[in-house]
């Protein structure tokens, strides 16, 4: 499902994200989000609404606190009778700082429902060296936090050489 999402999108918008990230790194001004997460979340929500809600099989909620949940997940897919559901948290990070995901893992573990819970990390790698180390960093994070690493895959290389990938963890 997510592999299809990443291959079906036009990611050329990420060229601007890459240029901003590189200029911030060059200028030593921290790597704030600058709309990166928002861009990915909009594309992801649109995809889920088109492919799941339109079928009537699931109801899709984007960033909403639902009555039965104590958290506000980025995306929630729920069967109309609430018998099944999937929670998805999205986080965007620069380079290999997977430790930023710890809070999201804890957040998903607090949900006391027998639903599938996933954490999607979309990463921006400013250097080829950082990308080379990334799969080991993702595996180390998964082991340390006792979550499953289901997918780790690059999906776009910007016109200025920045690589974007995603990692999907099952909590």
């Amino acid at each position: 499902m997510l592999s299809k999402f990443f291959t079906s999108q036009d990611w050329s918008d990420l060229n601007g994200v890459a240029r901003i990230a590189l200029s911030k790194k060059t200028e030593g001004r921290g790597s704030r989000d600058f709309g990166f997460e928002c861009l990915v979340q909009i594309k992801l929500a649109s995809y889920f609404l088109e492919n799941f809600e339109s079928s009537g099989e699931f109801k899709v909620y984007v960033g909403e606190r639902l009555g039965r949940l104590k958290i506000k997940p980025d995306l929630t897919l729920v069967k109309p009778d609430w018998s099944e559901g999937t929670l998805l948290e999205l986080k965007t990070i620069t380079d290999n700082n997977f430790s930023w995901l710890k809070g999201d893992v804890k957040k998903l573990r607090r949900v006391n429902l027998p639903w599938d819970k996933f954490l999607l990390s979309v990463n921006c790698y400013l250097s080829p060296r950082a990308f080379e180390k990334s799969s080991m960093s993702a595996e180390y994070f998964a082991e340390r936090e006792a979550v499953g690493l289901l997918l780790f895959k690059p999906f776009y290389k910007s016109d200025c050489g920045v690589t974007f990938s995603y990692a999907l963890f099952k909590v």
Side-chain angles (χ1 to χ4, degrees):
M1 162 180 71
L2 279 173
S3 293
K4 187 175 178 182
F5 161 71
F6 279 100
T7 58
S8 70
Q9 302 297 307
D10 172 12
W11 291 104
S12 60
D13 304 2
L14 291 177
N15 289 325
V17 168
R19 284 190 288 279
I20 292 169
L22 284 172
S23 72
K24 284 182 170 257
K25 181 180 179 184
T26 304
E27 296 169 12
R29 292 188 296 148
S31 55
R32 296 255 188 258
D33 189 286
F34 48 82
F36 177 28
E37 188 161 319
C38 215
L39 172 74
V40 175
Q41 190 169 29
I42 288 168
K43 285 182 177 283
L44 193 60
S46 296
Y47 179 81
F48 274 66
L49 287 166
E50 287 172 19
N51 290 285
F52 292 98
E53 190 163 273
S54 64
S55 72
E57 190 176 347
F58 287 95
K59 181 78 177 143
V60 177
Y61 298 93
V62 181
E64 294 181 48
R65 184 183 317 275
L66 305 178
R68 296 180 177 192
L69 301 178
K70 293 180 171 114
I71 66 167
K72 195 187 297 186
D74 290 322
L75 283 165
T76 308
L77 279 75
V78 181
K79 290 245 183 193
D81 65 357
W82 283 69
S83 63
E84 282 183 54
T86 299
L87 303 175
L88 178 74
E89 276 297 301
L90 170 68
K91 185 68 96 185
T92 54
I93 57 178
T94 302
D95 290 336
N96 289 311
N97 198 352
F98 286 98
S99 63
W100 288 7
L101 306 176
K102 281 181 174 179
D104 295 293
V105 169
K106 288 178 185 172
K107 178 178 173 180
L108 288 169
R109 284 187 172 141
R110 286 195 314 254
V111 176
N112 192 19
L113 289 170
W115 293 357
D116 290 327
K117 300 165 203 154
F118 297 99
L119 177 57
L120 175 63
S121 173
V122 180
N123 307 341
C124 170
Y125 295 100
L126 303 180
S127 72
R129 187 166 172 255
F131 178 70
E132 289 168 10
K133 295 187 325 185
S134 61
S135 66
M136 287 189 308
S137 296
E139 289 170 10
Y140 178 70
F141 172 79
E143 185 179 306
R144 195 176 64 238
E145 295 300 315
V147 296
L149 176 60
L150 303 178
L151 289 169
F152 180 85
K153 198 171 186 180
F155 69 92
Y156 186 74
K157 186 155 190 149
S158 75
D159 57 5
C160 56
V162 171
T163 302
F164 292 87
S165 74
Y166 65 94
L168 181 65
F169 301 94
K170 185 165 185 355
V171 178

